[in-house]
Amino acid sequence: MKHIFSAAFCAVLASHVPAIQAQTTWKLATGYRAESFHTQNIMQFSRDVEQATAGKLVIQVHPNNTLAKLNEVSQAVQQGKAEAGETIMTSMVKEIPLAGADSIPFVVGSYSDAQRLWKLQRPGIEKHFAERGLKLLYAVPWPPQGLHSSKPIRGLADFRGTQMRTYNSTTLRIAEMLGAKPVDVAMVDVGKALSEGRMDNMITSALTGVENKVWGPIKYYYEINAWFPKNVVFVSNKAFEALKPDARSMVLKAAGNAELRGWEASQALATSATEELRANGVKIERIPQDLDLEIKRMGEKFSREWVRSVGNEANDIFVPYYLRP
Ligand code: PCA
């Protein structure tokens, strides 16, 4: 009886072979670790898509710069090396200056500000992505960017000549403004760079500090809430358009859910990561008021430079951003 059942089962399977052959696989490249909350969210997105499409669309996640380096992910997708990808949006500022709105210091001070900015920025970003053959799926912010340092920071002079870790052209410009020596270190190499004495300080989230176990070399963390950079997940238009319409809408629905889930996770981690730094002996301090004013002034200078270089598109998002409560 068991035998007959399995024979029948095999016959059913065999009759489904054409459907199995119609399976599509997308490779998704990211420069962040598999354990990162962004990557975990992508993996959930991939499972949701697989389930919704009954296995017809499989998204294979290639984390940790294995398929393409973080700053090259968008080119890799444009060139067809991967169908989909995730990168930090500011890694695309050279091609898409509007993406730089994500790391202008002291414009966005909370998750609700970050939501407002994203709503205003999204149509322009979608347009620029489309011009490059990319379809934007969703974006999720990192927790707010704070200052990690091996030495206490009491004034601007404490940055001068220090080795400041940078992760994109904006953090590079900020290091220059502070008179520090910029050192480009990928997120996944921060722990190594610290133990080798290649960096003294960095502006990034408390979470990135936790994920790289920076305690030891890093002794101070200042919650300056400088900006909320977003990671963006996208697919090549060609791969997206090759799907049947129902699968396309399933992908977009799963992407919408991934965006909501990601923003919630980011916000929860913003608090827990700072507490974890503290529990591991990092001193959580406030920067002195006059230094706070000075770096805010520097932020304004940076914004002016940015608005001037981007032009109308920058005004299109910042005028309504500042006018609406
Ligand atoms: N972590 C990433 C980008 C922003 C963040 O919080 C990094 O440090 O590279």
Side-chain angles (χ1 to χ4, degrees):
M1 181 63 193
K2 201 173 163 206
H3 235 78
I4 299 168
F5 176 76
S6 28
F9 186 64
C10 287
V12 170
L13 262 190
S15 72
H16 278 74
V17 164
I20 291 167
Q21 280 171 346
Q23 185 192 69
T24 302
T25 303
W26 287 354
K27 292 194 283 292
L28 186 151
T30 174
Y32 297 106
R33 296 188 185 100
E35 303 78 31
S36 161
F37 88 99
H38 285 292
T39 317
Q40 291 291 316
N41 195 30
I42 294 174
M43 287 175 177
Q44 183 62 51
F45 164 66
S46 150
R47 284 191 292 273
D48 289 350
V49 165
E50 198 167 328
Q51 197 179 20
T53 62
K56 293 214 183 70
L57 176 58
V58 173
I59 303 176
Q60 274 173 3
V61 183
H62 295 255
N64 215 9
N65 300 304
T66 45
L67 189 59
K69 290 224 166 67
L70 182 71
N71 291 340
E72 292 159 11
V73 168
S74 65
Q75 281 99 316
V77 176
Q78 287 173 61
Q79 291 159 5
K81 286 187 198 141
E83 286 78 13
E86 179 206 43
T87 192
I88 185 161
M89 204 149 77
T90 55
S91 75
M92 298 173 76
V93 282
K94 287 213 180 85
E95 297 172 72
I96 306 177
L98 190 62
D102 264 39
S103 52
I104 300 188
F106 312 118
V107 168
V108 166
S110 66
Y111 278 90
S112 64
D113 283 356
Q115 272 286 355
R116 251 168 3 95
L117 180 69
W118 179 221
K119 274 214 184 97
L120 293 165
Q121 199 186 13
R122 186 171 188 146
I125 294 290
E126 279 180 338
K127 184 181 112 223
H128 288 291
F129 270 44
E131 284 163 9
R132 284 158 183 80
L134 302 175
K135 166 106 189 139
L136 179 119
L137 293 175
Y138 68 88
V140 168
W142 286 90
Q145 307 290 286
L147 173 64
H148 300 250
S149 178
S150 56
K151 301 233 168 69
I153 300 282
R154 306 275 181 250
L156 281 183
D158 293 323
F159 289 104
R160 226 157 285 144
T162 58
Q163 306 177 96
M164 187 169 208
R165 180 246 167 180
T166 62
Y167 63 76
N168 58 17
S169 53
T170 352
T171 43
L172 175 78
R173 179 74 188 110
I174 288 163
E176 283 169 1
M177 280 180 161
L178 291 168
K181 285 192 222 116
V183 193
D184 181 14
V185 178
M187 192 292 204
V188 294
D189 295 329
V190 163
K192 192 161 170 266
L194 275 171
S195 66
E196 292 172 359
R198 283 191 281 126
M199 50 181 277
D200 305 309
N201 50 39
M202 63 177 169
I203 297 181
T204 187
S205 55
L207 178 65
T208 290
V210 168
E211 287 188 353
N212 288 286
K213 299 193 170 43
V214 296
W215 40 84
I218 293 294
K219 303 207 165 16
Y220 297 87
Y221 181 68
Y222 302 89
E223 291 181 288
I224 58 173
N225 269 10
W227 60 87
F228 290 61
K230 292 181 288 287
N231 276 8
V232 67
V233 177
F234 48 92
V235 57
S236 79
N237 243 329
K238 201 168 144 220
F240 186 73
E241 293 300 327
L243 298 177
K244 296 225 169 75
D246 60 337
R248 270 182 244 158
S249 48
M250 284 163 189
V251 168
L252 295 182
K253 183 162 178 256
N257 291 339
E259 181 154 313
L260 287 176
R261 197 170 54 232
W263 281 72
E264 276 171 18
S266 177
Q267 193 156 5
L269 286 163
T271 314
S272 62
T274 307
E275 286 317 311
E276 206 169 333
L277 287 181
R278 194 197 307 273
N280 282 284
V282 177
K283 290 199 176 76
I284 315 293
E285 291 196 350
R286 293 188 150 263
I287 53 169
Q289 215 179 356
D290 45 346
L291 176 60
D292 190 45
L293 281 176
E294 279 178 288
I295 63 167
K296 296 246 158 75
R297 218 169 289 137
M298 235 172 229
E300 279 163 24
K301 182 165 173 237
F302 186 95
S303 312
R304 279 196 300 275
E305 283 180 8
W306 185 79
V307 170
R308 216 173 299 130
S309 72
V310 177
N312 284 345
E313 272 199 317
N315 290 326
D316 287 349
I317 60 170
F318 280 130
V319 171
Y321 178 83
Y322 280 115
L323 285 181
R324 273 201 336 221

